[in-house]
Amino acid sequence: MLFTFKITLNLRLQVVFFFLLLLISSKIYGQQTEVVNFLKVKATVEPDFTQKSIKGIVEYSFKILQNTDSVYLDAKEMRIIEFFFKDGRVEADKEKIWLIGNFKKEKLYTVNFTYNAEPKQTLYFFPLNGDGSDSEIWTQGQGKYTSHWLPSLDDTNDKIEFDLTVVAPLGKTVIANGKLVEIEKTTVSQKWHFDMENPMSSYLVAFAIGGFDKKELLSNSGIPIELYYKPQDSLKFEPTYRYSKEIFNFLEEEIGFPYPWQNYKQVPLRDFLYAGMENTSATFFSEAFVVDSIGFNDRNYVNVNAHELAHQWFGNTVTTKTDEDHWLQEGFATYYALLAEKEIFGADYYYWQLYQSSEQLKAASDEGKGESLLNPKASSLTFYQKGAWALHVLREMIGDVVFKTAVKNYLEKYKFQNVTTEDFLNEVKAATQIDISLFVKDWLHQSAFKAEDAFNSLLKSNFIKNYFEVAILREIPISNKKVQLKNALTFPNDFIGQEAVYQLADEDFLETLSLYKTAFESNNLYVRQEVALSLKTIPKELQTEYESLLNDDSYVTLETALYQMCMQFPEKRIEYLEKTRGVIGFQNRNIRQLWLALALITENYRDSEKPRYLMELKHYTSTDYSFEIRDKAFLYVEQLQLWDNETLTNLVEAGVHPTWRFAKASKELLNAVVQEPENYEKMKVIGKQLSPKAAAYLNSIIKE
Ligand SMILES: [Zn+2]
């Protein structure tokens, strides 16, 4: 899984950061795996959008390993409607469904039952328009527990073959694990039958229902790759999924073990909780990665795409036994995603990413916050980035051939089972004469980051050497490094050029003017972007060059440049606004929203249209839109003080949104907004239009 984390700083600098955060899965190392092995489940589930509930019919087969009078499935607050079980009975409590009988060792049993539930989490319903007539539904198992919507096992150590059938309204598309074998039509709905051939842990079971189209590709090895999209995003299909086939072919070849599932699907989802989730054969990812060709330059799906695909082997085929081994999933997925990016974007890019993560790891380590890779409570930085570094270092030590042999043997030996770090290390030891004990000590057990080893490894890249030569100039006065910076900005490398521009900020323009001109003339998108981001006061002498940023193929550049120019050259504001009218930007409509805000505060500009602009901007705060759009809209509503019944209602709803970071930010904003007595009075009368959950939340605020 990859987490996505967005920080909206302020109007001047709006940057999106993607943080990889650890999901702490509070694993209970169940004893039950020694008593029973659940083999297979056939489940038919039908979600109800209006009730936000689910009902299901399941048939579970299981094998008893030790005589017992009861076994259980995890099932949160489920009700049994009826059951058929010739060997016993079925009972539900708040946490579990119990199968009770006189079960004998080595015997196979089958149980059938029907249940319903109103899941508090894990299964999410989103309206796509005001009247709720269109909707999207999806699940997120990891960290949320599939047992909220499907009786299953919270323990990852019993793998089950899940054959899911999902009942969905006519006209909707269902995406779930495995191969679609049949769509059975009734007058009001369709039953989508999926088949899995191999077992998996319950956290990887998933389905999504929505209005999706798809295109299908075939990997070199013949695996169908289904790429889903919303019909209105058809023009964004190519940039969104750019390199998908290359990534698949590369990883299958690189890992050396054939892709282990029947097909591979990917679907972008509205308001998805994370950047991506590697449900078996069906990766779900955030709609924020649906981009056009310009957006691709700023923020693309390549890394998340490769990360989630790598999990189809590391995590889904071999699953860790305990949290101590979590790096076997996240470290591997991070490392193989880096290798895929190296294949696509080149070795410099690969080393740059390693360098960036080494800086973070070193900083944490220097603060005494270094963590062993085997620490079950380690941070995401450790599991993901230190894990990837460990594999990079190991591969350098034992060589490509041995590394690949060890990984292949590890997957072959433990496929569809659970693994420990020891299992992986044993395969490495079996493949080489080289003593890896120092590696195990330094990179797996030691909490401090081996920064010197990392540094030496990075120096194998000439690009990194060149970068360091420029970075070291940070300490030198501007007058003494102009020649070197000029060189760095003439035909620059993306990263080295950015570093050179960074060093110009806050220096005297008499010294830097010609260097800025060189940076503009470089025509390098990322160097010019760094100018937009770091140059806070635009000198008159650079106005023409700066204005040319509006033509760059980057929404990050455009957002910053448009804002800066409208503020610093107000006499030309109308010209800038006319030039950027109609540009939407990213999925969060960053350019459109900024444009609306600027248009609204610009005198004598399209005054007759302003009521429409105001309505549009305020409407972006509503539940009709994804949280990324709303998050930005609230910022402008606050800046322009557009609080009224509509926007306040939407803010209260935002406070109970399932995406907790958005909910948290909305609550904080609401707490600030209600400090104004005028807003507080308005809040008292908005209760009627709210959802029950939001109404309860509002009550708690008004009472305080
Ligand atoms: Zn992951």
Side-chain angles (χ1 to χ4, degrees), residues 1-2 278 307-308 311 329-330 333 384:
M1 173 161 50
L2 262 183
E278 70 276 18
H307 180 106
E308 308 309 341
H311 273 311
Q329 297 184 179
E330 297 306 344
Y384 289 68

Side-chain angles (χ1 to χ4, degrees), residues 562 577 580-581 591-599 605 613:
L562 176 62
L577 287 173
T580 51
R581 193 158 62 91
I591 307 296
R592 179 62 181 170
Q593 296 205 52
L594 171 64
W595 188 92
L596 289 169
L598 290 168
Y605 179 61
Y613 295 160

Side-chain angles (χ1 to χ4, degrees), residues 93 98 102 149 192 239 443 528 567 697:
D93 64 23
W98 292 92
N102 185 13
W149 64 271
W192 297 61
W443 286 90
R528 289 166 61 91
M567 292 300 134
Y697 166 51

Side-chain angles (χ1 to χ4, degrees), residues 218-223 225 245-246 248-250 252-253:
L218 216 52
S219 76
N220 286 351
S221 59
I223 298 287
I225 304 170
K245 192 171 165 174
E246 287 84 347
F248 194 101
N249 289 335
F250 169 76
E252 199 170 31
E253 174 87 30

Side-chain angles (χ1 to χ4, degrees), residues 387-439:
W389 256 104
L391 291 173
H392 169 81
V393 168
L394 177 64
R395 187 173 181 148
E396 280 193 337
M397 181 187 265
I398 62 179
D400 287 347
V401 175
V402 172
F403 182 85
K404 287 173 82 161
T405 304
V407 169
K408 191 178 164 183
N409 291 345
Y410 162 68
L411 287 165
E412 186 57 56
K413 189 161 175 183
Y414 297 103
K415 63 185 171 194
F416 311 118
Q417 298 174 45
N418 293 82
V419 284
T420 63
T421 300
E422 220 37 57
D423 295 332
F424 171 65
L425 293 178
N426 285 339
E427 293 311 311
V428 175
K429 287 174 196 159
T432 180
Q433 303 289 325
I434 297 169
D435 179 8
I436 61 163
S437 54
L438 196 61
F439 162 80

Side-chain angles (χ1 to χ4, degrees), residues 34 256 597:
E34 287 157 27

